[in-house]
Amino acid sequence: MNFSTPAGHANPDLYIGLMSGTSVDGVDGVLASLTDGQAPQVLASASLPMPENLRRELLALNEAGGDELARAALAANALARLYAQATAALLQDAGIAASAVTAIGAHGQTVRHRPDSGYTVQLNAPALLAELTGIDVVADFRSRDVAAGGQGAPLVPPFHAAVFGAQHGRAVLNLGGIANVTLLAPGQAIRGFDTGPANVFLDGWCQRHLGLPYDADGRWAATGQVLAPLLEQWIASEPWFGLPPPKSTGRDLFNMQWLDSRLAAFDGPKPLPQDVQATLQRLTARTVANAIDGAAANTREVFVCGGGAHNAGLMRELAYCLQRPVRPTDDLGVPAQQVEALAFAWLAQAFVQRRQAGLPAVTGARGARILGALYPA
């Protein structure tokens, strides 16, 4: 890895954002110019696949296991090296030296999220990332909000408001492993919360039965049929769906054991795998629609980002359940796959400028907080 660092000072507007989400399928990164009062300008973007051995280890670390501390530290180092590769690709693509970048915002990989017990764990090695890149790193965005009694998630609503605000009711829906929504309306406080599973089940079930990483465009789901009794059992059997915001979740709750236990308890005929996939797709769309209808019935349109925005079948299901226009954030000028990485560049800038990006109306914290911790180069 070659990071060019000629003499000079960082451009106060240049930030890198790096994101590896609950789907654990890869790392997305952006190099962006963030000038106050102007729309973000993405100068370069990169997406690196998650190496299969690292992916398996990160997924395994979501559950208790032997020698967890050493395994987690080694996985964090491997992830930081992947982040550094993404950073190198961004700098090379943009023709920009590392010394010109003010900071990297790197969220890390969430392996535990238990704000109800006062903690959240994101595997990351930001000191190593700073060492490898020669760029200041801002990381650990959730823990300050959790310390203030908040959920520590979702983190992106203030960024969504800054970039996607509208003169009418609008929702911005992120479909990663878990779905979260930001509700925007003129004259109202920014609101946002997790709605439940998105790709975590769709990918996991597809991997189990087809050996494929995901159900491209929902084509496998399209061969099955939605089983209404199974869908209703899933929703009725999970108290989390009925909790009011603020709320957040992750693989601690929505994992394949959750799905297996409910399939075992289903009192109807054993469903075909493709019917389960179709019903899982409807589960994501239905729980999103329930959440938006319950919290912001005046929402006129929904813009989708994250990997799920590329699933044509899921997008059709969302339009059916929401009965509103559903479009990717590309239509607002930010490609769906870049939104979360861009959000962490924005959050890094908020930390550097000491702006409070933790919103009590979103997370339930006792007050707005500055989010993140600095690891100097």
Side-chain angles (χ1 to χ4, degrees):
M1 228 171 289
N2 180 23
F3 291 88
S4 175
T5 55
H9 298 284
N11 183 325
D13 296 333
L14 293 185
Y15 288 84
I16 286 173
L18 300 170
M19 177 66 188
S20 51
T22 313
S23 295
V24 202
D25 53 0
V27 170
D28 292 318
V30 297
L31 170 62
S33 176
L34 304 176
T35 304
D36 292 344
Q38 298 182 22
Q41 182 183 2
V42 174
L43 306 180
S45 63
S47 292
L48 300 182
M50 188 71 69
E52 184 57 31
N53 59 341
L54 179 56
R55 181 180 186 277
R56 286 196 301 266
E57 183 70 330
L58 291 171
L59 288 172
L61 286 164
N62 279 268
E63 302 176 15
D67 203 19
E68 279 184 289
L69 293 179
R71 288 169 50 216
L74 292 171
N77 285 346
L79 183 61
R81 292 188 178 95
L82 190 62
Y83 284 164
Q85 291 176 28
T87 299
L90 292 167
L91 295 174
Q92 182 176 6
D93 188 29
I96 290 175
S99 58
V101 178
T102 298
I104 296 170
H107 180 44
Q109 186 69 43
T110 301
V111 294
R112 297 286 194 283
H113 186 61
R114 293 294 306 275
D116 55 312
S117 296
Y119 73 89
T120 183
V121 179
Q122 286 71 51
L123 293 187
N124 201 354
L128 177 59
L129 181 58
E131 183 68 23
L132 291 172
T133 61
I135 303 172
D136 287 359
V137 175
V138 182
D140 192 22
F141 289 97
R142 286 186 175 178
S143 63
R144 185 64 181 90
D145 187 87
V146 172
Q151 293 282 311
L155 291 166
V156 293
F159 168 76
H160 288 164
V163 177
F164 300 128
Q167 298 305 309
H168 52 260
R170 171 179 288 174
V172 181
L173 173 66
N174 177 59
L175 294 176
I178 299 297
N180 61 70
V181 67
T182 299
L183 303 174
L184 304 171
Q188 296 183 16
I190 304 164
R191 292 178 294 158
F193 51 91
D194 288 354
T195 64
N199 296 321
V200 63
F201 288 151
L202 293 174
D203 292 352
W205 192 251
C206 186
Q207 289 157 16
R208 178 184 292 182
H209 289 274
L210 298 186
L212 298 174
Y214 56 90
D215 183 13
D217 285 330
R219 287 193 288 265
W220 186 41
T223 68
Q225 59 179 332
V226 174
L227 303 178
L230 184 60
L231 175 66
E232 298 306 324
Q233 181 230 39
W234 287 345
I235 294 174
S237 67
E238 180 46 66
W240 187 89
F241 289 128
L243 294 177
K247 63 180 182 176
S248 59
T249 189
R251 288 183 182 269
D252 303 75
L253 175 60
F254 293 112
N255 49 48
M256 295 305 287
Q257 290 79 14
W258 184 98
L259 179 57
D260 290 339
S261 67
R262 278 146 178 88
L263 287 171
F266 182 54
D267 58 7
K270 183 177 180 180
L272 296 172
Q274 62 268 34
D275 292 343
V276 173
Q277 186 75 359
T279 308
L280 287 170
Q281 190 169 259
R282 179 66 59 83
L283 174 69
T284 293
R286 170 81 172 277
T287 51
V288 166
N290 288 350
I292 291 176
D293 289 340
N298 63 339
T299 298
R300 293 189 191 177
E301 57 190 1
V302 179
F303 286 90
V304 184
C305 57
H310 302 296
N311 183 333
L314 180 55
M315 292 289 279
R316 287 192 295 269
E317 285 286 328
L318 286 165
Y320 170 75
C321 290
L322 282 159
Q323 293 296 297
R324 298 172 177 86
V326 176
R327 301 192 294 275
T329 55
D330 302 59
D331 291 1
L332 296 176
V334 184
Q337 200 63 36
Q338 295 180 9
V339 171
E340 275 205 295
L342 187 57
F344 283 98
W346 187 90
L347 286 164
Q349 184 193 52
F351 173 87
V352 169
Q353 296 180 350
R354 297 300 189 268
R355 285 187 280 115
Q356 295 173 328
L359 302 182
V362 171
T363 69
R366 287 183 286 273
R369 297 292 187 263
I370 296 169
L371 304 182
L374 177 66
Y375 293 78

